[in-house]
Amino acid sequence: MSEPVLTISGLNVDYGTGDAAVHALRDIDLTLHRGEVLGLAGESGSGKSTLAYAVTRLLSPPGVITGGDVRYHRRDGEALDLLTLSPAELRAFRWQELSIVFQGAMNSLNPVHTVHSQLTDVLKAHRPEMRRPERTARAEELLSLVGISTDRLSAYPHQLSGGMRQRVMIAMALALEPEIVIMDEPTTALDVVMQRQILRQLVKLREQLDFSVVFITHDISLLIEFSDRIAIMYGGRIVEEAGASDIYRDPRHPYSDGLLHSFPALHGPRRELTGIPGSPPHLSAMPAGCAFHPRCGKALDPCATQVPVLSRPDGGDSRTVACWLHQEAPAQAAATSRP
Ligand SMILES: Nc1ncnc2c1ncn2[C@@H]1O[C@H](COP(=O)(O)OP(=O)(O)OP(=O)(O)O)[C@@H](O)[C@H]1O
Ligand SMILES: [Mg+2]
């Protein structure tokens, strides 16, 4: 695996403070390596967007980071502690080193400005040395990169299809050649064919421009196809992380297995779609022990009372999983399977 570009350790996020606080993220450990596409999957409410907002310091109240460490590693080896950057340092960091395409971003283009003016505004703000013709040339280049004809520069957002608007957002995110691009469910409003097209393009661009991607979605079948590694979240924790093909062939966490059986795979052998019984827990009523145990067909006794920590069932770095099925259960708890 290549060197890390972003390391998250022990990250905790709450919404609210004091007695009203609910834990949205718990003990998140995650590493993004240079040049890789890391997929983040999990049902609605599992904390995917909260994680994206927390690492980019865009979390707004009542969200608070209550612990942990997030570091960005420059190519020269210098590590930046993202949780202590000043507002000015953060402004320089965002877009230049890390950019984020938000959930629902295709609707966040300004309807009264042309694509040209929105793309060149980013350049104007961050590259004051660029002159107008250079900015226009770069805007054309960016549009071509994402597969849109340059004559659409003069278009207004409403004159573009949803897929095109999404690509414009991606072009904007790439404008300053950041090292990391985080895409938070950028494609849910698009049809499946368009989603795959955009993702395929992104992976190609990643090879061309050598950036790393965190791609967030609830549709794990897209991630199997396009990402190098996948981290799966449930109830604010990462429950499994492994190479995409390892997750596909041999998911170890019953929740990963459930997710894989919730979406039709586009390639490979057919799987029966069984889904996951029940629904995700609410933050204010998180089950004790493993948050997934009430929905889990394989729950053991300790699952209801003790939180399993991420461990390495195979030794080495290739896979981590937080599940009592795959680690030594606490001594006093007998591993009697439930019906
Ligand atoms: N501003 C907020 N105040 C209180 N709770 C919040 C706030 N924003 C999010 N939450 C809660 O935090 C949890 C995680 O939300 P988050 O948006 O990170 O989930 P997600 O995995 O991105 O879901 P989705 O797939 O629906 O986008 C949810 O239970 C949500 O209700
Ligand atoms: Mg979200």
Side-chain angles (χ1 to χ4, degrees):
M1 248 183 281
S2 56
E3 62 190 25
V5 60
L6 187 72
T7 45
I8 302 169
S9 20
L11 186 67
N12 286 327
V13 169
D14 287 355
Y15 283 109
T17 51
D19 288 345
V22 289
H23 303 321
L25 292 184
R26 274 293 163 265
D27 303 326
I28 301 288
D29 287 333
L30 195 61
T31 300
L32 175 67
H33 297 92
R34 207 174 284 290
E36 83 176 344
V37 177
L38 172 66
L40 197 56
E43 285 166 297
S44 187
S46 56
K48 306 177 301 294
S49 296
T50 303
L51 180 55
Y53 280 106
V55 301
T56 49
R57 297 269 308 277
L58 288 165
L59 203 60
S60 50
V64 271
I65 296 174
T66 56
D69 189 78
V70 182
R71 265 162 223 266
Y72 168 72
H73 305 270
R74 290 218 163 97
R75 281 182 193 261
D76 63 10
E78 190 198 346
L80 274 188
D81 178 351
L82 295 190
L83 300 189
T84 59
L85 289 188
S86 68
E89 288 169 322
L90 270 174
R91 271 195 299 279
F93 174 74
R94 285 195 210 118
W95 294 93
Q96 311 247 28
E97 314 261 10
L98 182 153
S99 63
I100 172 161
V101 179
F102 294 107
Q103 201 162 7
M106 61 189 250
N107 299 319
S108 59
L109 287 168
N110 190 326
V112 298
H113 291 289
T114 61
V115 171
H116 176 274
S117 100
Q118 299 192 55
L119 278 174
T120 53
D121 273 358
V122 178
L123 299 168
K124 224 188 271 178
H126 290 268
R127 297 271 192 275
E129 74 287 357
M130 268 183 144
R131 290 175 309 118
R132 192 180 155 80
E134 288 172 279
R135 286 198 298 267
T136 298
R138 175 70 178 145
E140 285 177 354
E141 187 183 16
L142 286 166
L143 266 201
S144 314
L145 262 184
V146 296
I148 299 180
S149 135
T150 53
D151 60 14
R152 305 317 297 266
L153 264 186
S154 56
Y156 287 88
H158 74 269
Q159 295 170 317
L160 304 175
S161 69
M164 280 172 150
R165 287 202 297 266
Q166 193 61 58
R167 284 165 206 240
V168 170
M169 293 306 300
I170 294 173
M172 238 169 184
L174 297 176
L176 305 175
E177 299 186 9
E179 292 283 349
I180 302 174
V181 179
I182 299 181
M183 305 244 167
D184 186 1
E185 204 119 44
T187 53
T188 31
L190 306 172
D191 64 64
V192 179
V193 176
M194 184 60 76
Q195 288 188 32
R196 294 186 67 233
Q197 249 180 38
I198 288 186
L199 261 169
R200 188 176 305 125
Q201 201 152 30
L202 188 70
V203 171
K204 216 169 75 197
L205 285 174
R206 184 266 313 236
E207 280 157 14
Q208 232 172 302
L209 306 175
D210 191 27
F211 53 85
S212 317
V213 180
V214 178
F215 194 88
I216 300 176
T217 176
H218 61 277
D219 183 346
I220 195 172
S221 65
L222 274 176
L223 295 182
I224 297 285
E225 201 177 343
F226 291 104
S227 54
D228 299 307
R229 283 185 317 124
I230 298 178
I232 295 182
M233 292 188 72
Y234 189 81
R237 291 177 188 268
I238 290 180
V239 296
E240 182 162 12
E241 191 210 321
S245 56
D246 291 334
I247 294 263
Y248 180 70
R249 277 188 281 108
D250 180 23
R252 299 281 173 87
H253 199 290
Y255 181 62
S256 314
D257 192 53
L259 267 191
L260 279 167
H261 288 90
S262 300
F263 293 94
L266 292 157
H267 294 298
R270 280 180 183 219
R271 283 176 193 257
E272 195 189 343
L273 291 184
T274 46
I276 306 169
S279 46
H282 197 268
L283 288 189
S284 56
M286 199 53 78
C290 169
F292 186 60
H293 86 267
R295 300 173 74 191
C296 181
K298 294 183 172 168
L300 309 169
D301 279 348
C303 304
T305 51
Q306 313 207 34
V307 179
V309 291
L310 275 177
S311 63
R312 303 178 186 283
D314 305 330
D317 286 340
S318 62
R319 181 197 290 265
T320 53
V321 58
C323 177
W324 289 123
L325 290 174
H326 300 286
Q327 54 195 282
E328 195 121 334
Q332 78 281 15
T336 40
S337 189
R338 289 197 189 147

